[in-house]
Amino acid sequence: MTCAAVRKFLYALADGQLADKANAQVSDHVKACSACSRLVGEHQSLRTALGRQIEAVPIPRGLEDRVRQAITAGKPVPRPNRWRAILRVRTYAAAACIVLATLAAWRFALPASSAMRVGPGEGAASAVVMTHNMCCDHAASHQNTDLPKSLAGLASAISAHYDHIIRVFAPDLSGHGFAFESANLCGVMDRDGCHGGHLLYAKSDNKLTTRLSVFSIPRWDDLDGDEPAPNDGRTRQFIVAQDTGPDISVAVWHEDATSFICCAEVAPDTMADLVKDVRLALHDTTPRRMLAMLWQLP
Amino acid sequence: MMKQNKRTRPPDPSVPSESSESRKFEEVALCHLDLVYRIAVRLSGNTHEAEDLVQETFLRAHRAFDRFELRQYGAKPWLLKILHNVFYSRRGKAARSPLLLDDISLDDFAAEMERDPPSSIAEGEMDWDEFDDELKTAVQALVPEYRSVLLLWALGDLSYKEISQVLDCAMGTVMSRLHRARQQLGRTLSDYAKERGIRRKRDVNR
């Protein structure tokens, strides 16, 4: 058999779908022909690569429970709704989330060598990474266009400019190549009380986009790993391993009732630099100035 | 006239029939949950739609379970078929590619392969690890009908016949779509391959 004759059977051969008679003839040719055998090999390795990509999809927490509940209820069960968290804190929560109430003193980030290593799926830092990854997956629609109910009582000027307010308060990280992309109110791990501000920044080069999350949530001491949390505002860093993909850096610091978290697929040293600027930006904005800006809207 | 009961033996009176049904459903169908979800994610391109698809799939499967004959038809292809029906019905007729409605016979497929024979993606051996992101993007960029075939094929344990049953089309259509999907991937990826240069993998014993 010639290459031309064999060609239409190559894929079927590679996939084990040929009937025996045809199989023998075609595989005899392939064994002797380097061009055809390379095509077969490539076909098989593509199959393996795609199969691996399917296998690599992580299963969301609680999926099986929700499917079981749906079956019992006879209708679909709502997914955990991270993207429209109900704001439980007081009126100025949106601003308060992002801006510190008072900041007496703050420490610089710990050097990268003291970052704690965390395995995939382990601990609070991994829960942060999971939210970060899920938000990045739909970055294009991450921006929340709904207004939290508790802000509805504010002047309509503020409600109309909700997005504008967030953008104004978002730390400027352009010096690191990160541009502010969107803001939402997201939850970490579906925990009650772990919903708060989530800013997403994006940095693109060479067709690859890296995203950085800045969260501000009600205080979550679990983020300290094994060590108890000293109340000194110091930054803790983690390196969270992933089943597929590079490590993700997470940095955390607490200020009174708020925990701030930065999360991105960057090296620990880069994260340390980013955190310095994020903390500096937040340090600069006081509630007084913030309130003044709120009422200066056109 | 009474309808024939499909069960070959009477239900065990000591066990409430509902719970034995749900145990069976669990053994036969629910065990494939992870796989169905993973395919749903790669098919729809987003995790939220995927979860909706999966819930709907298993709801329908559960409702239809007493009509399902395991011996005739594997549970996995059955579930994947429901998943695809849900996916395409949600997307509506508008989403179906107008060019792909006709079934393709094996002869047509053979003719197609003559006209447009398989070609290699890269000069050297393709290092798929390096093109992981590009591969994902390229698969996402395919028309859904091509993507379906590629994903079902990639699972590795469905025959062309089973794929044709899942997608409710002729076998020639499966083979043709697989070929076209692969050609399209190849065109997209060979650009990347040329750009980046090819790394040769270490020789593996064949």
Side-chain angles (χ1 to χ4, degrees), chain B residues 10-26:
Chain B
D12 184 343
S14 64
V15 176
S17 64
E18 235 179 71
S19 77
S20 75
E21 273 294 311
S22 52
R23 267 208 312 277
K24 258 185 75 192
F25 183 75
E26 190 164 325

PDB file of all heavy atoms in Angstrom, chain B residues 10-26:
ATOM      1  N   PRO B  10     -39.014  -9.338  40.618  1.00  0.00           N
ATOM      2  CA  PRO B  10     -39.843  -8.400  41.389  1.00  0.00           C
ATOM      3  C   PRO B  10     -38.981  -7.666  42.400  1.00  0.00           C
ATOM      4  O   PRO B  10     -37.990  -8.202  42.881  1.00  0.00           O
ATOM      5  CB  PRO B  10     -40.874  -9.292  42.099  1.00  0.00           C
ATOM      6  CG  PRO B  10     -40.259 -10.655  42.109  1.00  0.00           C
ATOM      7  CD  PRO B  10     -39.383 -10.745  40.929  1.00  0.00           C
ATOM      8  N   PRO B  11     -39.346  -6.415  42.723  1.00  0.00           N
ATOM      9  CA  PRO B  11     -38.545  -5.654  43.689  1.00  0.00           C
ATOM     10  C   PRO B  11     -38.582  -6.319  45.058  1.00  0.00           C
ATOM     11  O   PRO B  11     -39.581  -6.922  45.435  1.00  0.00           O
ATOM     12  CB  PRO B  11     -39.220  -4.277  43.728  1.00  0.00           C
ATOM     13  CG  PRO B  11     -40.517  -4.426  43.018  1.00  0.00           C
ATOM     14  CD  PRO B  11     -40.491  -5.664  42.222  1.00  0.00           C
ATOM     15  N   ASP B  12     -37.475  -6.208  45.772  1.00  0.00           N
ATOM     16  CA  ASP B  12     -37.362  -6.794  47.101  1.00  0.00           C
ATOM     17  C   ASP B  12     -38.288  -6.040  48.055  1.00  0.00           C
ATOM     18  O   ASP B  12     -38.108  -4.849  48.270  1.00  0.00           O
ATOM     19  CB  ASP B  12     -35.892  -6.670  47.555  1.00  0.00           C
ATOM     20  CG  ASP B  12     -35.648  -7.348  48.888  1.00  0.00           C
ATOM     21  OD1 ASP B  12     -36.632  -7.631  49.609  1.00  0.00           O
ATOM     22  OD2 ASP B  12     -34.490  -7.582  49.200  1.00  0.00           O
ATOM     23  N   PRO B  13     -39.289  -6.688  48.654  1.00  0.00           N
ATOM     24  CA  PRO B  13     -40.258  -5.971  49.488  1.00  0.00           C
ATOM     25  C   PRO B  13     -39.631  -5.407  50.772  1.00  0.00           C
ATOM     26  O   PRO B  13     -40.145  -4.464  51.338  1.00  0.00           O
ATOM     27  CB  PRO B  13     -41.326  -7.018  49.817  1.00  0.00           C
ATOM     28  CG  PRO B  13     -40.671  -8.338  49.562  1.00  0.00           C
ATOM     29  CD  PRO B  13     -39.587  -8.123  48.562  1.00  0.00           C
ATOM     30  N   SER B  14     -38.498  -5.982  51.194  1.00  0.00           N
ATOM     31  CA  SER B  14     -37.906  -5.489  52.446  1.00  0.00           C
ATOM     32  C   SER B  14     -37.147  -4.185  52.242  1.00  0.00           C
ATOM     33  O   SER B  14     -36.846  -3.486  53.193  1.00  0.00           O
ATOM     34  CB  SER B  14     -36.967  -6.546  53.028  1.00  0.00           C
ATOM     35  OG  SER B  14     -35.888  -6.748  52.132  1.00  0.00           O
ATOM     36  N   VAL B  15     -36.831  -3.874  50.994  1.00  0.00           N
ATOM     37  CA  VAL B  15     -36.088  -2.622  50.732  1.00  0.00           C
ATOM     38  C   VAL B  15     -37.005  -1.661  49.984  1.00  0.00           C
ATOM     39  O   VAL B  15     -37.541  -2.028  48.957  1.00  0.00           O
ATOM     40  CB  VAL B  15     -34.834  -2.901  49.866  1.00  0.00           C
ATOM     41  CG1 VAL B  15     -34.132  -1.603  49.509  1.00  0.00           C
ATOM     42  CG2 VAL B  15     -33.898  -3.838  50.596  1.00  0.00           C
ATOM     43  N   PRO B  16     -37.206  -0.460  50.481  1.00  0.00           N
ATOM     44  CA  PRO B  16     -38.096   0.474  49.755  1.00  0.00           C
ATOM     45  C   PRO B  16     -37.535   0.706  48.357  1.00  0.00           C
ATOM     46  O   PRO B  16     -36.345   0.931  48.208  1.00  0.00           O
ATOM     47  CB  PRO B  16     -38.073   1.755  50.590  1.00  0.00           C
ATOM     48  CG  PRO B  16     -37.015   1.570  51.610  1.00  0.00           C
ATOM     49  CD  PRO B  16     -36.618   0.155  51.671  1.00  0.00           C
ATOM     50  N   SER B  17     -38.373   0.629  47.368  1.00  0.00           N
ATOM     51  CA  SER B  17     -37.875   0.670  45.993  1.00  0.00           C
ATOM     52  C   SER B  17     -37.143   1.962  45.669  1.00  0.00           C
ATOM     53  O   SER B  17     -36.236   1.989  44.888  1.00  0.00           O
ATOM     54  CB  SER B  17     -39.021   0.446  45.010  1.00  0.00           C
ATOM     55  OG  SER B  17     -39.938   1.518  45.136  1.00  0.00           O
ATOM     56  N   GLU B  18     -37.530   3.031  46.327  1.00  0.00           N
ATOM     57  CA  GLU B  18     -36.866   4.316  46.014  1.00  0.00           C
ATOM     58  C   GLU B  18     -35.398   4.276  46.362  1.00  0.00           C
ATOM     59  O   GLU B  18     -34.553   4.726  45.622  1.00  0.00           O
ATOM     60  CB  GLU B  18     -37.536   5.430  46.805  1.00  0.00           C
ATOM     61  CG  GLU B  18     -38.011   6.560  45.913  1.00  0.00           C
ATOM     62  CD  GLU B  18     -38.691   7.650  46.736  1.00  0.00           C
ATOM     63  OE1 GLU B  18     -37.978   8.356  47.458  1.00  0.00           O
ATOM     64  OE2 GLU B  18     -39.912   7.737  46.652  1.00  0.00           O
ATOM     65  N   SER B  19     -35.068   3.714  47.531  1.00  0.00           N
ATOM     66  CA  SER B  19     -33.660   3.774  47.940  1.00  0.00           C
ATOM     67  C   SER B  19     -32.817   2.800  47.131  1.00  0.00           C
ATOM     68  O   SER B  19     -31.652   3.056  46.886  1.00  0.00           O
ATOM     69  CB  SER B  19     -33.511   3.519  49.428  1.00  0.00           C
ATOM     70  OG  SER B  19     -33.641   2.141  49.682  1.00  0.00           O
ATOM     71  N   SER B  20     -33.388   1.682  46.691  1.00  0.00           N
ATOM     72  CA  SER B  20     -32.568   0.770  45.896  1.00  0.00           C
ATOM     73  C   SER B  20     -32.330   1.377  44.524  1.00  0.00           C
ATOM     74  O   SER B  20     -31.274   1.209  43.935  1.00  0.00           O
ATOM     75  CB  SER B  20     -33.221  -0.610  45.785  1.00  0.00           C
ATOM     76  OG  SER B  20     -34.301  -0.561  44.880  1.00  0.00           O
ATOM     77  N   GLU B  21     -33.313   2.139  44.018  1.00  0.00           N
ATOM     78  CA  GLU B  21     -33.121   2.846  42.757  1.00  0.00           C
ATOM     79  C   GLU B  21     -32.006   3.867  42.885  1.00  0.00           C
ATOM     80  O   GLU B  21     -31.155   3.989  42.024  1.00  0.00           O
ATOM     81  CB  GLU B  21     -34.420   3.585  42.356  1.00  0.00           C
ATOM     82  CG  GLU B  21     -35.394   2.747  41.561  1.00  0.00           C
ATOM     83  CD  GLU B  21     -34.877   2.366  40.190  1.00  0.00           C
ATOM     84  OE1 GLU B  21     -34.388   3.245  39.463  1.00  0.00           O
ATOM     85  OE2 GLU B  21     -34.916   1.182  39.845  1.00  0.00           O
ATOM     86  N   SER B  22     -32.036   4.595  44.011  1.00  0.00           N
ATOM     87  CA  SER B  22     -31.032   5.653  44.145  1.00  0.00           C
ATOM     88  C   SER B  22     -29.659   5.065  44.392  1.00  0.00           C
ATOM     89  O   SER B  22     -28.655   5.612  43.975  1.00  0.00           O
ATOM     90  CB  SER B  22     -31.413   6.661  45.227  1.00  0.00           C
ATOM     91  OG  SER B  22     -31.715   5.989  46.423  1.00  0.00           O
ATOM     92  N   ARG B  23     -29.593   3.870  45.032  1.00  0.00           N
ATOM     93  CA  ARG B  23     -28.283   3.230  45.211  1.00  0.00           C
ATOM     94  C   ARG B  23     -27.755   2.817  43.847  1.00  0.00           C
ATOM     95  O   ARG B  23     -26.592   3.006  43.535  1.00  0.00           O
ATOM     96  CB  ARG B  23     -28.406   1.989  46.096  1.00  0.00           C
ATOM     97  CG  ARG B  23     -28.165   2.252  47.562  1.00  0.00           C
ATOM     98  CD  ARG B  23     -27.632   1.026  48.294  1.00  0.00           C
ATOM     99  NE  ARG B  23     -28.390  -0.172  48.019  1.00  0.00           N
ATOM    100  CZ  ARG B  23     -29.516  -0.519  48.626  1.00  0.00           C
ATOM    101  NH1 ARG B  23     -30.026   0.259  49.557  1.00  0.00           N
ATOM    102  NH2 ARG B  23     -30.148  -1.627  48.314  1.00  0.00           N
ATOM    103  N   LYS B  24     -28.641   2.263  43.042  1.00  0.00           N
ATOM    104  CA  LYS B  24     -28.207   1.827  41.726  1.00  0.00           C
ATOM    105  C   LYS B  24     -27.764   3.013  40.883  1.00  0.00           C
ATOM    106  O   LYS B  24     -26.753   2.946  40.206  1.00  0.00           O
ATOM    107  CB  LYS B  24     -29.349   1.100  41.016  1.00  0.00           C
ATOM    108  CG  LYS B  24     -29.202  -0.419  41.031  1.00  0.00           C
ATOM    109  CD  LYS B  24     -30.272  -1.097  40.214  1.00  0.00           C
ATOM    110  CE  LYS B  24     -30.036  -0.959  38.731  1.00  0.00           C
ATOM    111  NZ  LYS B  24     -31.232  -1.363  37.947  1.00  0.00           N
ATOM    112  N   PHE B  25     -28.534   4.092  40.945  1.00  0.00           N
ATOM    113  CA  PHE B  25     -28.187   5.284  40.178  1.00  0.00           C
ATOM    114  C   PHE B  25     -26.812   5.774  40.568  1.00  0.00           C
ATOM    115  O   PHE B  25     -25.994   6.150  39.747  1.00  0.00           O
ATOM    116  CB  PHE B  25     -29.231   6.378  40.392  1.00  0.00           C
ATOM    117  CG  PHE B  25     -28.981   7.613  39.573  1.00  0.00           C
ATOM    118  CD1 PHE B  25     -29.254   7.625  38.214  1.00  0.00           C
ATOM    119  CD2 PHE B  25     -28.460   8.765  40.156  1.00  0.00           C
ATOM    120  CE1 PHE B  25     -29.007   8.757  37.453  1.00  0.00           C
ATOM    121  CE2 PHE B  25     -28.214   9.905  39.400  1.00  0.00           C
ATOM    122  CZ  PHE B  25     -28.496   9.899  38.044  1.00  0.00           C
ATOM    123  N   GLU B  26     -26.569   5.705  41.876  1.00  0.00           N
ATOM    124  CA  GLU B  26     -25.274   6.140  42.381  1.00  0.00           C
ATOM    125  C   GLU B  26     -24.153   5.269  41.817  1.00  0.00           C
ATOM    126  O   GLU B  26     -23.152   5.763  41.326  1.00  0.00           O
ATOM    127  CB  GLU B  26     -25.291   6.028  43.907  1.00  0.00           C
ATOM    128  CG  GLU B  26     -24.103   6.656  44.555  1.00  0.00           C
ATOM    129  CD  GLU B  26     -24.346   6.874  46.035  1.00  0.00           C
ATOM    130  OE1 GLU B  26     -25.497   7.180  46.388  1.00  0.00           O
ATOM    131  OE2 GLU B  26     -23.392   6.729  46.805  1.00  0.00           O
TER     132      GLU B  26
END
